[in-house]
Amino acid sequence: MPIQNHAFPWGIYIGDLIDNNDNMPLCLDSKQGGFCVLFDDESEVTANTFIENVALKLFEVLPMGDMLVDIFDFSHKKRFMHLSSLQSQKLYNIAFNQNNATTKFNKIEEIALERHHNTLSFETPTISEYNQKSKFKEQYHLLLINLDSFPDETTSKKRIKNFFDSAYEAGFYTIAFGSQDILESEVNATQVILNQFVHLSIKNNTFKFTKELIEFADIIKKYDFEYVNDNKDKIIQSLLAQLEKEENNSGEKDFLSIPIGTSKNGREIINFTMGDKSTNLHAFITGVTGSGKTTLLNNIITGIAQKYSSQEIQLYLMDYKDGVEFQVFKNHPNCKKIFLDNEDLSASISLLEEFRDTMKTRAKFFKEQGVSNITAYNKLNTQKPMPRIILIIDEVHKLFVGDYNYVDKFSSILKPLMRQGRSYGVHIILSTQSLAGTQIDRELMGQITLRISYKLTDPSDSESIFTYGNIEALNLEKYELIYNNNAGNKKDNVLCRVNSPVDINSVLEDVLFMREEALILKPVIVQSEEDREEDVINIKEEKLEVHYESKYSTSLEDENLKKLEAMGIKV
Ligand SMILES: Nc1ncnc2c1ncn2[C@@H]1O[C@H](COP(=O)(O)OP(=O)(O)OP(=O)(O)O)[C@@H](O)[C@H]1O
Ligand SMILES: [Mg+2]
């Protein structure tokens, strides 16, 4: 049975000593703060399996959510396949290049400093003791460090040493690893870590125990040793099931919940949520240029691929930033359509109309089955549920400036979509630098309860996205945002430090590899003829299967042209 007292285990279980018929568990004293695994060429796979299992065992004994893994590893091949499935829950975060590693080190160092200065005290000198006594719980961090992949150039030896000297008390446990040759390395960070922690060598797939590592090493040499090597699939499945159960226990459900960052002190994870529980149906994101809006959208879109199948959530993406940003999602398994044409507003109208028309089809299905909304429909059709569909528009101001006829048209399509979104499972996320100069409708804003803003410089911008007097967005720092799920009401501002960008391609690759073929959508890409020609060449090279659709491909074309002409718009 897992211990539910939030203490960090005193011993790190590494395997069993075999004595005739008896198995005796062997643990390392966790107060040592960590250890280094050094392997020869033959033993790398054993070392990886061993480390992954030690980590999974720690997840098993701690209450879910109490620990996360921070991994520094620049190798091209994924080392810990099973652990990485905790990535969608943000319980596994990888730094896979020098930049990431520097950012990650800065972040964990800051958390450690914060904990030393503000959280730990004479009565609770370690996070483990704090977590047993305090109402709030601090997350443990398991650091898995490839000794070849730690920030070095920009981080001084002294800083790294200071961090590791006090990391255990602050809730960090380290397992560093590398081949034997790394002992010769002159890299500062590697030296510091090798000096800091005891070594466990694996040679010819055999574990070598020293007195430094385990006090009674001489005695255990007499026994056979079996390193911890449980069924990783089973452990992961049970961990994921536990997480799902926790999410579902809360009665009303959100159909979408993606971790986007943490509270300022790093204590709580902040999720981007939509659904009945949070009562968010649509969202609006603002922030000055370069503040991180597209990155946030990308993290959410990628998170959707990881966490939800196309039977649960389907996406329509529209991108007005030179039509390039959302290209990366051309093999996203939940994407129905990606619109990359930033010039042709009448084509945008077609797409919005098509999106709106899904409501009509849905209405027909509801009528046939005598239900009034998607929740009721899905209860009756558990085998073939209706997915939620989300339209995401980056740089939406392009649709809200300029020609009044267009602006009016967009508003008139978006308004009913938003009003009836709850019943039909149709949701919209809009993003733009500022609302200044746009003719965005008050009624439209009224439908959007989830409002998010990165830094703004003009108080009136902050008041347009939130409410009058709510200008806290002016004080935000880099990569911080205000998450407000009460229509901008100042008392509901939540400050969030946003997660760094995810590696979209590698995440999507993993997801596609694991996903059942029938659940993989092939998005239709709508773009201008020129871009399209260029892209076809690239795509041929990448051997990707992408379906194209001309922006005027269907009979909608004629219909729309007529409508526009009737509105007095020359086409
Ligand atoms: N949370 C974050 N952590 C680290 N880097 C980030 C984070 N968010 C964004 N960045 C980086 O900041 C830069 C700008 O981000 P992004 O393009 O998302 O901004 P934007 O608000 O969409 O800008 P624009 O309005 O010009 O489109 C990018 O290089 C991105 O990688
Ligand atoms: Mg952007």
Side-chain angles (χ1 to χ4, degrees):
M1 269 303 280
I3 310 157
Q4 293 291 331
N5 68 2
H6 304 281
F8 195 74
W10 65 267
I12 306 294
Y13 172 57
I14 58 166
D16 290 294
L17 297 173
I18 317 290
D19 176 21
N20 294 327
N21 304 323
D22 253 358
N23 285 9
M24 289 179 289
L26 187 61
C27 294
L28 299 181
D29 182 358
S30 66
K31 283 197 201 66
Q32 290 179 319
F35 61 102
C36 298
V37 180
L38 300 172
F39 46 83
D40 59 12
D41 289 349
E42 290 86 77
S43 314
E44 180 164 1
V45 175
T46 303
N48 289 345
T49 316
F50 165 69
I51 295 167
E52 188 165 31
N53 267 298
V54 171
L56 287 171
K57 281 288 169 195
L58 272 173
F59 271 111
E60 258 193 343
V61 296
L62 283 163
M64 205 58 207
D66 271 21
M67 185 179 81
L68 56 83
V69 175
D70 279 312
I71 159 161
F72 296 82
D73 188 12
F74 308 166
S75 22
H76 287 271
K77 248 172 64 193
K78 188 169 277 182
R79 203 176 287 271
F80 306 122
M81 278 308 256
H82 289 81
L83 269 182
S84 70
S85 36
L86 297 171
Q87 201 162 12
S88 60
Q89 307 293 334
K90 289 285 178 270
L91 294 177
Y92 172 99
N93 307 299
I94 182 157
F96 48 82
N97 60 32
Q98 197 60 242
N99 274 350
N100 282 175
T102 307
T103 314
K104 185 178 278 301
F105 180 75
N106 291 343
K107 203 164 156 184
I108 58 178
E109 185 192 42
E110 201 180 328
I111 294 175
L113 280 171
E114 229 255 349
R115 289 178 176 180
H116 277 291
H117 291 292
N118 299 334
T119 312
L120 299 178
S121 65
F122 182 66
E123 288 87 42
T124 56
T126 65
I127 287 296
S128 183
E129 283 156 287
Y130 175 85
N131 281 350
Q132 292 168 73
K133 292 184 183 157
S134 160
K135 195 167 81 168
F136 299 107
K137 307 293 168 219
E138 296 281 348
Q139 263 184 323
Y140 298 109
H141 290 243
L142 174 64
L143 304 181
L144 299 183
I145 302 174
N146 181 336
L147 284 160
D148 236 355
S149 311
F150 203 65
D152 191 58
E153 290 143 45
T154 51
T155 319
S156 75
K157 202 167 167 175
K158 196 167 155 206
R159 263 180 73 196
I160 297 177
K161 177 144 177 47
N162 282 344
F163 170 77
F164 283 107
D165 275 346
S166 59
Y168 173 72
E169 288 75 19
F172 294 83
Y173 188 83
T174 306
I175 305 177
F177 52 91
S179 76
Q180 302 279 352
D181 314 340
I182 205 87
L183 286 167
E184 314 296 323
S185 164
E186 287 179 3
V187 175
N188 280 342
T190 310
Q191 279 177 2
V192 171
I193 301 171
L194 282 168
N195 284 334
Q196 186 80 31
F197 299 114
V198 289
H199 299 181
L200 168 58
S201 297
I202 313 177
K203 286 185 183 160
N204 293 322
N205 292 310
T206 310
F207 286 65
K208 310 273 178 219
F209 296 110
T210 57
K211 273 200 171 155
E212 234 194 335
L213 189 73
I214 296 176
E215 233 182 297
F216 46 95
D218 285 344
I219 306 172
I220 63 176
K221 277 180 189 149
K222 296 184 194 134
Y223 299 94
D224 284 335
F225 173 70
E226 265 179 21
Y227 68 92
V228 47
N229 191 8
D230 282 0
N231 184 332
K232 295 196 280 292
D233 282 324
K234 218 166 132 195
I235 301 181
I236 279 292
Q237 268 164 24
S238 120
L239 292 176
L240 290 175
Q242 212 177 316
L243 279 166
E244 197 171 314
K245 204 166 127 210
E246 275 170 22
E247 266 177 28
N248 292 348
N249 268 351
S250 38
E252 280 178 327
K253 274 170 64 178
D254 281 332
F255 68 88
L256 173 75
S257 175
I258 304 279
I260 54 164
T262 54
S263 54
K264 180 131 183 154
N265 59 11
R267 194 171 273 155
E268 287 158 52
I269 291 181
I270 294 174
N271 292 298
F272 179 94
T273 50
M274 286 181 141
D276 291 335
K277 187 173 165 221
S278 59
T279 69
N280 298 324
L281 300 171
H282 314 291
F284 210 119
I285 302 165
T286 58
V288 294
T289 180
S291 55
K293 302 177 295 295
T294 305
T295 306
L296 175 67
L297 287 177
N298 287 348
N299 284 359
I300 295 170
I301 296 168
T302 314
I304 289 174
Q306 285 178 298
K307 204 168 166 190
Y308 304 98
S309 79
S310 59
Q311 236 176 26
E312 297 164 297
I313 296 180
Q314 296 186 358
L315 298 171
Y316 284 72
L317 307 179
M318 290 177 97
D319 171 6
Y320 288 93
K321 177 85 173 265
D322 307 323
V324 287
E325 307 262 18
F326 285 161
Q327 291 254 26
V328 285
F329 296 117
K330 60 192 168 196
N331 54 356
H332 189 300
N334 301 59
C335 261
K336 280 284 276 188
K337 210 164 220 186
I338 307 180
F339 182 88
L340 301 169
D341 192 335
N342 62 338
E343 293 303 322
D344 190 341
L345 292 181
S346 55
S348 319
I349 291 185
S350 300
L351 184 89
L352 286 177
E353 282 178 335
E354 179 194 319
F355 189 74
R356 181 196 57 192
D357 290 345
T358 55
M359 290 208 309
K360 289 186 192 151
T361 326
R362 292 190 162 195
K364 207 174 107 226
F365 282 128
F366 291 174
K367 207 168 162 203
E368 277 166 15
Q369 300 214 0
V371 295
S372 61
N373 61 53
I374 184 167
T375 313
Y377 180 90
N378 284 349
K379 267 192 190 139
L380 291 179
N381 298 275
T382 46
Q383 293 303 314
K384 222 170 173 295
M386 201 175 257
R388 300 277 177 164
I389 48 177
I390 308 177
L391 169 68
I392 300 180
I393 313 183
D394 197 6
E395 305 277 337
V396 72
H397 61 272
K398 284 256 171 76
L399 301 183
F400 288 110
V401 289
D403 190 327
Y404 179 76
N405 285 316
Y406 276 113
V407 176
D408 196 39
K409 183 80 183 155
F410 291 130
S411 294
S412 69
I413 300 173
L414 285 179
K415 264 190 269 181
L417 266 174
M418 289 192 166
R419 262 199 311 269
Q420 298 173 45
R422 162 164 292 154
S423 313
Y424 291 103
V426 176
H427 309 276
I428 300 179
I429 302 173
L430 305 174
S431 163
T432 183
Q433 284 172 17
S434 110
L435 293 172
T438 64
Q439 304 170 40
I440 192 159
D441 202 287
R442 285 241 140 255
E443 191 193 330
L444 206 79
M445 274 314 274
Q447 302 289 340
I448 306 178
T449 47
L450 177 53
R451 310 205 186 158
I452 290 173
S453 186
Y454 282 91
K455 186 170 179 69
L456 293 168
T457 44
D458 184 342
S460 69
D461 275 348
S462 186
E463 289 179 331
S464 329
I465 172 88
F466 298 125
T467 47
Y468 183 72
N470 188 352
I471 54 165
E472 281 174 22
L474 271 59
N475 306 324
L476 289 172
E477 289 176 21
K478 211 171 181 188
Y479 311 137
E480 284 181 354
L481 56 77
I482 288 173
Y483 185 93
N484 186 307
N485 63 3
N486 190 15
N489 208 317
K490 193 172 167 181
K491 73 173 181 21
D492 295 300
N493 281 356
V494 174
L495 193 132
C496 168
R497 281 175 150 191
V498 190
N499 294 329
S500 42
V502 289
D503 179 1
I504 301 173
N505 286 323
S506 94
V507 173
L508 290 184
E509 233 171 67
D510 286 352
V511 171
L512 284 172
F513 181 70
M514 305 291 282
R515 185 121 330 147
E516 216 180 296
E517 187 68 31
L519 296 177
I520 297 176
L521 296 179
K522 304 255 161 47
V524 170
I525 317 268
V526 185
Q527 62 186 157
S528 67
E529 297 298 324
E530 275 168 47
D531 290 346
R532 187 179 147 185
E533 272 161 26
E534 227 173 75
D535 229 43
V536 166
I537 297 165
N538 296 336
I539 282 161
K540 263 190 196 148
E541 281 167 8
E542 287 175 37
K543 293 201 173 53
L544 281 173
E545 198 182 334
V546 179
H547 296 230
Y548 280 98
E549 184 178 90
S550 156
K551 57 197 174 193
Y552 295 126
S553 64
T554 61
S555 58
L556 273 176
E557 175 197 352
D558 297 337
E559 217 178 285
N560 286 329
L561 289 177
K562 267 186 231 150
K563 278 186 207 159
L564 290 171
E565 272 165 21
M567 287 162 63
I569 297 168
K570 276 214 171 103
V571 223

